[in-house]
Amino acid sequence: MTPTTPSDPTALPLEQKAALLSGQDFWSTPPVEAAGLPSVVLTDGPHGVRRQVGDLDQIGLIESVPATCFPPAVAVGSSWDPEVAERIGAAIGVEARAIGVPVVLGPGVNIKRSPLCGRNFEYYSEDPLLAGVLGAAHVRGQQGAGVGASVKHFAANNQETQRMQVSADVDERTLREIYLPAFERVVTEAQPATVMCAYNKVNGVYASQHHWLLTEVLREEWGFTGAVVSDWGAVDDRVAALEAGLDLQMPGDHGAGNALVVDAVRSGRLDEAVVDRSVRRVAALAGYVSKPTDGFDADAHHALARELATGCAVLLKNEAGALPLAAGQRVAVVGEFARTPRFQGGGSSHVNATRVDDALSALRAAHPDLTFAPGYALDGAGDATALREEAVGLARDAEVSVVFAGLAEADETEGVDCTHLDLPAAQVQLIRAVAAVSARTVVVLSSGSVVSLEGWHDDVDAVLAGFLLGQAGGSALADLLTGAADPSGRLAETIPLRLADTPSFLDFPGEQGHVRYGEGVMVGYRQFVTVDRPVRYPFGHGLSYTTFETSDLQVRAVGADAATVTLTVTNTGARAGRHVVQVYVATTAGPVRRPARELRAFTKVSLAAGESTTVAFELDRRAFAYWDVREHAWVVAPGEHTVQIGRSATDVVDERTIDLAGDVVVRELTLQSSVAEWFEHPVAGPQLLEGFLATMPEGAAEMHAGMLQMIGSMPMRRFAADFGGAIPAEELERLMAAARAAR
Ligand code: BGC
């Protein structure tokens, strides 16, 4: 839908224009009859519609209109399947139109910098490509259904601790390579109706008033044409925010900010054109308002939520043929989460689900004789020993015990970070006790972020990580356990052995108002792989009930800085399944330290038993580039680049190396540039050397290499002063001009 507006809203009186730039309440913009503008409702998101009517609050305490709770982003990330994200976006769009919501606030594409971030369940991955591809697909789906999206939280919002004050101190290359690309992809590929700025500061400036982020990068570089909306309550200085490029303040502040805007214009401190610019953008959102449709098919959407959830869970381990469960097997189901499912996180994304499936009932349909014991109480009440012993009694008699474990919603909620990765001690004790007596033990995990598997992993035969699968997660898990569906999820985040191994450990969540992104670009698997640190399960890992092989890998360079990749994938097992082909690029070329490998493309293919298919990828220059902080640009370093096919970030099954001509970077030279930079400069270097050697004694040419090592780091200004006679100042000026001209 292309937003249109009835009449020019910038012709309105200043007071009305200012009023249009902030909410009339918690969830909507004010209607402006004079300009034919209806009120626009903006509400959460991201994995279902949370429309509050009547009393309003921000943190999900007040019930909202029933809507389908689709798998949250943590699960969608593990699907590695843009179709899952797109279908969820489309279904949310359909529901939003029925519920009367023109803009749904999502998706969230922030990077999982630490497994402790309390909102990781709302984000896709530790990898920006995966997050960006899924986020763009979600927006395409939702906006294709006529409902505006809001990609959030822009930018570097990677923790909840002090989220409204902390300054994320991130260097330019890290921002460009890790924290911005998912937003960039969503904006450039899917043009979301809105971008929501983050609460935090970025390098000392509130994201809500960050001109570089909101205007230079977002609009001037990426071409964003929609409205920037504040996270709820993120505006600190209303006028500064407006000037920086923030269009809509949400929620309203009872007119206080509007008065400041009017005052700033009247006193000449703010150009009215700035107000008009934002007025046009906010007015354009009215184009998403439509007459509510006639409800939605809740049953069909529940079925969709179930189907999609099966593509999200990750089978981490499966030994001794523990899964799928065989028909007629004596099965013991253990764990309260089997009966009382954990399927979403707490806070603003909390959806009032239309209904909720539990795995216990769904498993009973396939295994009517199964036995069940809760094993633990979610609120910690009751006699823990008695609960455990009851479960162990059932496990002893079973051929296979399925233990449901995980974290409670109260442990993973917006506004708070986690402090550890451990399952509750009672659950760990339960798993170990069951595994000690049961012929086979399967553990099913429900959590919004990764949890530690240490202390029990080796005792059990199979582990299925469901993360949070939405309202149909219980039946989806049953489908996977019984083999009605094949597991095809892959980890979108590393499962470490220890929290202390995680790259951000020493700098999370920061101190004294600052969080230093000290690990730089070495986030998640990028660091584990680069320093070869062992993990429990790597990024990209996941098993199916069938097996896949790849062959015929061909990589061809295209021009100076791109490549094509083709390969064959074969389902070598006995049943149909889906495989994720992961394409990484590894290089040491160039002047900066690169992660040992980085995900640069992926696709998920469905194959019948024995079937083969050819997959092809085009790797553009960004797949090979790093962000050069001296050029403030993407640069492809000349040299070898290895394209690798991985089953995960640590399991490379095939690779080919290509030589890329890359970019010839002609750097600017100044008197502060080092002697080495001058001599190695493609334009100035040869001329300088020639002139320099002419004035030097015999044999100086031979000394040249050694000399460069010794004095190479000396700024030219000092070198020229010391050896003044050798390089006249006018000559340096001439060479600097030549270098500049060649850029
Ligand atoms: C959250 C946003 C959400 C907004 C509205 C904020 O607290 O950070 O993600 O969209 O509230 O509920």
Side-chain angles (χ1 to χ4, degrees), residues 68 70-71 87-88 90-91 298-309 472:
T68 309
F70 290 98
R87 290 173 76 191
I88 288 176
D299 290 341
H301 279 189
H302 185 78
L304 177 67
R306 175 174 179 169
E307 180 201 332
L308 299 181

Side-chain angles (χ1 to χ4, degrees), residues 446-462:
S446 299
S447 61
S449 188
V450 295
V451 292
S452 171
L453 314 190
E454 303 319 300
W456 56 268
H457 171 270
D458 294 349
D459 299 351
V460 305
D461 302 290

Side-chain angles (χ1 to χ4, degrees), residues 423-462:
L423 288 174
Q427 293 188 27
V428 173
Q429 274 180 315
L430 174 72
I431 294 170
R432 299 194 60 170
V434 165
V437 301
S438 186
R440 287 194 180 119
T441 305
V442 174
V443 173
V444 179
L445 293 171
S446 299
S447 61
S449 188
V450 295
V451 292
S452 171
L453 314 190
E454 303 319 300
W456 56 268
H457 171 270
D458 294 349
D459 299 351
V460 305
D461 302 290

Side-chain angles (χ1 to χ4, degrees), residues 27 44 50 58 105 119 122 152-153 163 196 199 231-232 348 414:
W27 301 119
D44 297 295
R50 182 173 71 102
Q58 185 182 353
L105 307 172
R119 261 182 123 172
E122 279 187 72
K152 62 190 188 180
H153 309 88
R163 65 173 171 162
M196 186 190 292
Y199 281 130
D231 197 346
W232 267 230
S348 63
E414 180 177 339

Side-chain angles (χ1 to χ4, degrees), residues 525-588:
Y525 73 87
R526 284 170 166 76
Q527 177 160 128
F528 286 108
V529 173
T530 303
V531 303
D532 202 14
R533 186 177 300 143
V535 298
R536 173 49 70 191
Y537 286 112
F539 173 84
H541 169 76
L543 306 171
S544 298
Y545 292 146
T546 183
T547 49
F548 299 92
E549 259 163 39
T550 49
S551 54
D552 307 332
L553 173 63
Q554 297 192 28
V555 180
R556 290 206 179 82
V558 177
D561 56 8
T564 56
V565 180
T566 55
L567 67 148
T568 304
V569 189
T570 307
N571 180 345
T572 50
R575 54 173 291 165
R578 284 181 285 170
H579 182 60
V580 177
V581 183
Q582 303 168 33
V583 182
Y584 296 86
V585 172
T587 184
T588 53

